[in-house]
Amino acid sequence: MPEAVKTYQPDNSLRKGYFSIFREIVDEIVENRWLTWQLFKRDFLTIYKQSFIGVLWAFIIPLVSVGTFVLLNQSGIFVFGEIGIPYPIYAVLGMAFWQLFSTGLIASSNSLAKARTMITKINFSKKSLVIASMGQALVSFLIQFGLVVALFAFYGIAPSPLVALVPILIIPILFFTLGLGFILSLLNGIVRDVGNMLSVLITFLMFLTPILYAKPTEGLLAVLTVYNPLYYLAAAPRDIVLMNRVSEIGGFVASSILAVAVFILCLIIFHLTETRVAERV
Amino acid sequence: MEKNVAIKVENVSKKYCKSLKRSMMYGVNDIARNTLGMGSHGEKLRKDEFWAVKDVSFEVKKGETLGIIGSNGSGKTTMLKLLNGIFWPDKGKLSVRGRVGALIAVGAGFHPMLTGRENIYVNGAILGMNKKEVDEKFDEIVEFADIGDFLDTPVKFYSSGMLVRLGFAVAVNVQPDILLIDEVLAVGDLSFQNKSLRRLAELRDKANAVVFVSHNLEHVRNLCDKVILLDRGKIMFAGKTVKGIEEYHRLTRKKKMISVKNKKGFRSPLHSSSGDINFGTVGLLDERGTKTGKIEAGKPLTAFFEFETFRGIEELYFTVGIRDERNYNCILQTSNYAGKNRFRNVSKGKHRLIVKFSTPNLVPGLYFPIIAARNAVTNETYEKNFNLKPFLIEGDGASRGIVLTGSKWKLDKIGLKGRKRE
């Protein structure tokens, strides 16, 4: 068997050209899929360990935030807008899609910083580490989706048959999140302020994006929502479940294209610059 | 790269940053530059940066074992991390042929919450094994680690010995083409250490090339075909192992000498004086009588002590000794023995005492002269000085202990002859 020669030299990938390295990236990801799976399993197995109620936390956290909004609404402080279905279903479902972004982004941006000792001692695919961290978001998503099913049963409503399309419709938001996660994990690995800033920013973004309330029709927020890709990416799978159609298909397609572009660009940047992180993480 | 070369390192340099804040700044800056398609001007040092490895070149052929030696902070581990691809060089080029496996930090990547079984899989994957390999090696790993019933217990409940054994067991079951070893041999009790050494020997046999970093020079001497000696990131010597280790000793002695010389304020407790005599320059004389700071091992040793007396002293005698670094008196002799060498009527002024030890036979190292001057009649002490300028005895590093001697070795079988005769 011929043994491959691996060469390390400064700006290795840069020399090869900006876009021709894409092949290299894909090969690395494919080659390391078992590692990614193992890392994912590790995150998944440890996330709720040393905890008595364990996985129940995945239910409690969204229920509390949704509960808060229900309470605010009943006191007349907060108005959802016209929804047309029981609010808890609307909100929990929306939250399930939203947290793919929020949980995913926080997990992935912390992935390199958390694995500091490993990165400085073992040479393994850092892309696997970032990709695997998205698993946390997927697992909480599945659990929360279970909660949604329970809510449908409770209210005696059936979701639309197009619910089967959900796995496809969440792909764009996953790409978007993972793409940003790649860049932020690197930056957070070097400068920890990035992670702290992100937690604040994500809460802010959640209120800015119509997830727990209907899309506003007037005012500054209405204008912002038109240009908010996160809104389209999270709303499309929700609309499919609730209304059997994607209400703003144009926005969704445009946002999906944007998401894939962000993903590819960020992945290339990550590949070009990941060699910098081990010595500074 | 030629077919028979396993590792080729060409003018490789690596820089580090001393300041955390600056390191963060430079990191973000470098990422931004690379993103925009610009090179990362690695050849220049920015503020607070220094070269951890500088302009290092070497080659390891297939079948060779290379040792990297040097004192702490000389760049050994950095070099190993460069070979492993954890760090990337800032300058130069580094090529390795085949799969690289490292015994650098065993057990890194273990998750305390996961059981031994789960950790074996995760750790195996991180170290570059695929599922099939881990499945195949699983029983061997468990047996090697000798963790018994604890296989399905979270590793946070393991004793430190068990944890290290498990880490080592996983690491030595990766079969690399190029094996990097960093000071991991002292793990566990004697029987586990021996087991590990046997396993390492197997790995070395199968690997194409081995790079070995250690402070244990005996291991280096036994395992390595050739060595490079690093000091502050630069290669000071590259070549035969025995010669390299000698050079390493020479360098260490030189450094100790410098650090002892630069040490200030350690005079007082080791020096007491009545004020009648004061010792000044102290050192060695070579065969022609000129002052020197070192001699070759096995040669006669001539020491001189210059001192000043502030009044005439009727009968003076000296005690002179040579101490090694461990503060052991290797030589201790008094001039006043059986009435000999009592120096009468020493006048006021400057004098020089010369002592020649004809067969000192001390092993190479850093030595400290000590002296006391006393009155031979009253036995009052004028000056005791244990804090004089040290000197070096140079030589090859083969002998340790105190006394330098040649040796001949012979192995006989006993007990059989007698029995035959019966």
Side-chain angles (χ1 to χ4, degrees):
Chain A
M1 199 180 76
E3 294 141 344
V5 174
K6 195 151 171 47
T7 303
Y8 303 102
Q9 90 193 94
D11 308 328
N12 216 357
S13 306
L14 219 52
R15 276 166 223 261
K16 289 180 188 157
Y18 214 99
F19 288 98
S20 63
I21 53 173
F22 205 70
R23 173 89 219 170
E24 202 174 291
I25 299 174
V26 173
D27 284 349
E28 185 188 332
I29 292 174
V30 172
E31 201 179 302
N32 286 295
R33 58 191 189 281
W34 189 63
L35 169 64
T36 311
W37 170 243
Q38 287 298 320
L39 290 170
F40 161 71
K41 238 170 58 183
R42 184 186 77 147
D43 284 350
F44 171 66
L45 287 171
T46 51
I47 186 169
Y48 296 119
K49 271 205 179 174
Q50 199 157 27
S51 144
F52 278 118
I53 59 170
V55 97
L56 283 179
W57 284 111
F59 289 104
I60 293 169
I61 295 162
L63 275 183
V64 169
S65 28
V66 170
T68 315
F69 278 87
V70 173
L71 204 69
L72 287 175
N73 177 250
Q74 281 174 353
S75 335
I77 301 169
F78 184 82
V79 187
F80 309 132
E82 208 44 52
I83 301 166
I85 36 149
Y87 177 71
I89 293 187
Y90 180 86
V92 172
L93 190 61
M95 279 295 278
F97 294 118
W98 170 260
Q99 70 81 41
L100 277 176
F101 173 73
S102 62
T103 313
L105 197 60
I106 287 178
S108 52
S109 65
N110 283 327
S111 57
L112 293 188
K114 235 171 64 186
R116 201 191 157 271
T117 47
M118 263 157 64
I119 291 174
T120 54
K121 283 170 183 151
I122 305 170
N123 182 15
F124 64 104
S125 170
K126 289 178 265 295
K127 295 185 190 75
S128 289
L129 205 58
V130 181
I131 297 171
S133 68
M134 286 295 290
Q136 284 179 36
L138 276 174
V139 169
S140 348
F141 171 76
L142 286 178
I143 293 168
Q144 289 179 24
F145 210 73
L147 186 64
V148 173
V149 172
L151 283 173
F152 270 116
F154 178 78
Y155 284 102
I157 320 172
S160 90
L162 287 182
V163 69
L165 287 180
V166 164
I168 294 165
L169 289 179
I170 61 171
I171 290 172
I173 199 168
L174 288 177
F175 270 123
F176 189 63
T177 309
L178 189 54
L180 293 178
F182 271 122
I183 295 295
L184 291 169
S185 68
L186 267 188
L187 292 176
N188 192 36
I190 294 170
V191 183
R192 296 287 191 275
D193 306 62
V194 173
N196 295 330
M197 231 154 60
L198 202 63
S199 321
V200 178
L201 199 66
I202 277 186
T203 318
F204 179 67
L205 275 178
M206 191 186 88
F207 288 109
L208 211 61
T209 311
I211 298 298
L212 291 169
Y213 53 89
K215 187 184 174 189
T217 47
E218 54 191 22
L220 181 62
L221 205 53
V223 180
L224 281 177
T225 306
V226 173
Y227 296 105
N228 184 351
L230 280 169
Y231 164 70
Y232 298 108
L233 294 177
R238 185 186 59 193
D239 290 352
I240 273 285
V241 177
L242 298 179
M243 301 189 279
N244 208 16
R245 65 185 169 86
V246 176
S247 45
E248 284 152 306
I249 190 88
F252 178 66
V253 170
S255 303
S256 300
I257 292 169
L258 177 74
V260 173
V262 163
F263 174 75
I264 292 174
L265 189 66
C266 290
L267 190 55
I268 289 174
I269 294 174
F270 186 85
H271 188 75
L272 282 176
T273 56
E274 65 177 327
T275 56
R276 306 247 158 233
V277 79
E279 57 192 276
R280 308 208 193 262
V281 67
Chain B
M1 199 158 77
E2 300 85 39
K3 266 269 159 61
N4 63 335
V5 176
I7 299 171
K8 193 172 175 121
V9 176
E10 296 160 87
N11 307 97
V12 161
S13 298
K14 175 83 209 154
K15 57 188 178 180
Y16 286 154
C17 183
K18 276 180 272 191
S19 142
L20 180 63
K21 289 267 150 60
R22 284 227 162 70
S23 167
M24 286 159 46
M25 231 165 65
Y26 294 155
V28 174
N29 188 15
D30 287 346
I31 286 181
R33 286 185 67 92
N34 284 174
T35 303
L36 298 173
M38 293 191 278
S40 35
H41 51 109
E43 66 287 342
K44 272 182 259 158
L45 283 187
R46 292 168 285 192
K47 193 164 185 271
D48 279 335
E49 283 185 327
F50 66 97
W51 294 110
V53 164
K54 186 148 203 284
D55 207 18
V56 167
S57 305
F58 60 87
E59 211 178 73
V60 184
K61 296 207 170 63
K62 282 191 176 177
E64 276 186 333
T65 298
L66 172 81
I68 303 182
I69 53 178
S71 50
N72 287 326
S74 59
K76 301 188 298 290
T77 304
T78 305
M79 198 59 237
L80 221 50
K81 286 188 173 179
L82 284 165
L83 288 173
N84 199 4
I86 295 172
F87 293 163
W88 286 57
D90 284 309
K91 272 201 283 186
K93 188 175 160 188
L94 199 141
S95 312
V96 290
R97 187 187 293 277
R99 172 158 145 182
V100 178
L103 291 174
I104 290 186
V106 296
F110 274 176
H111 196 290
M113 292 296 191
L114 294 184
T115 67
R117 184 189 299 276
E118 290 160 342
N119 266 314
I120 289 176
Y121 274 90
V122 177
N123 207 235
I126 294 170
L127 292 176
M129 289 198 254
N130 57 36
K131 180 164 172 14
K132 201 172 136 249
E133 281 176 283
V134 183
D135 282 338
E136 277 171 15
K137 297 274 175 71
F138 188 83
D139 293 333
E140 208 180 319
I141 292 171
V142 174
E143 200 204 302
F144 195 92
D146 193 19
I147 48 172
D149 302 339
F150 281 78
L151 183 57
D152 290 307
T153 306
V155 298
K156 68 185 234 170
F157 297 121
Y158 281 29
S159 73
S160 53
M162 285 162 71
L163 202 59
V164 167
R165 288 207 304 272
L166 186 62
F168 198 83
V170 180
V172 295
N173 272 290
V174 184
Q175 180 57 61
D177 299 316
I178 291 171
L179 180 65
L180 310 176
I181 309 175
D182 187 3
E183 204 89 59
V184 282
L185 299 171
V187 158
D189 58 12
L190 189 67
S191 78
F192 187 77
Q193 274 180 33
N194 285 340
K195 196 157 77 170
S196 309
L197 287 170
R198 281 197 298 273
R199 183 85 186 108
L200 276 181
E202 280 172 40
L203 281 182
R204 284 203 310 275
D205 280 349
K206 285 186 206 156
N208 274 337
V210 181
V211 177
F212 183 59
V213 164
S214 180
H215 285 291
N216 189 328
L217 297 171
E218 286 309 301
H219 280 152
V220 173
R221 203 197 307 276
N222 287 332
L223 299 181
C224 302
D225 303 309
K226 58 181 191 182
V227 295
I228 58 172
L229 170 60
L230 289 180
D231 185 46
R232 293 186 193 175
K234 288 190 201 135
I235 291 195
M236 306 301 282
F237 173 87
K240 289 256 166 61
T241 305
V242 175
K243 191 86 204 332
I245 291 176
E246 270 173 38
E247 284 301 317
Y248 174 67
H249 283 303
R250 208 181 296 276
L251 188 72
T252 322
R253 285 195 291 266
K254 207 164 106 193
K255 281 189 162 179
K256 267 185 200 147
M257 183 90 166
I258 291 166
S259 79
V260 167
K261 270 190 197 163
N262 292 340
K263 221 194 257 171
K264 282 190 183 120
F266 82 149
R267 281 196 157 256
S268 43
L270 298 162
H271 176 223
S272 50
S273 178
S274 65
D276 300 304
I277 292 184
N278 184 34
F279 278 88
T281 315
V282 171
L284 303 182
L285 297 176
D286 66 13
E287 283 153 7
R288 279 175 291 164
T290 32
K291 292 178 182 178
T292 177
K294 56 185 175 186
I295 59 154
E296 281 299 310
K299 294 272 164 61
L301 191 160
T302 310
F304 70 89
F305 301 85
E306 290 177 0
F307 61 93
E308 188 175 2
T309 50
F310 299 107
R311 64 178 177 83
I313 294 169
E314 52 285 6
E315 213 162 323
L316 197 58
Y317 81 95
F318 301 95
T319 304
V320 168
I322 306 288
R323 277 186 176 178
D324 66 10
E325 286 170 57
R326 290 156 293 187
N327 243 357
Y328 192 81
N329 288 330
C330 300
I331 292 175
L332 191 63
Q333 293 203 340
T334 179
S335 65
N336 181 21
Y337 186 73
K340 280 196 280 185
N341 292 325
R342 293 155 73 149
F343 303 98
R344 293 201 169 84
N345 299 324
V346 179
S347 59
K348 183 181 170 205
K350 290 185 176 170
H351 305 270
R352 179 200 249 184
L353 171 75
I354 295 177
V355 193
K356 185 170 177 181
F357 298 107
S358 47
T359 50
N361 278 334
L362 296 174
V363 297
L366 182 66
Y367 290 91
F368 301 84
I370 59 175
I371 191 161
R374 294 195 176 91
N375 187 314
V377 179
T378 62
N379 219 28
E380 63 187 297
T381 302
Y382 294 122
E383 164 115 354
K384 249 193 323 200
N385 199 332
F386 293 176
N387 188 29
L388 298 164
K389 207 177 104 184
F391 61 88
L392 289 176
I393 297 185
E394 290 289 7
D396 67 34
S399 286
R400 290 182 291 170
I402 295 170
V403 180
L404 182 78
T405 172
S407 52
K408 277 181 185 162
W409 305 70
K410 198 171 160 230
L411 185 71
D412 278 339
K413 196 160 195 177
I414 52 165
L416 283 173
K417 267 185 189 166
R419 224 179 286 159
K420 260 184 191 168
R421 234 174 252 160
E422 275 169 17

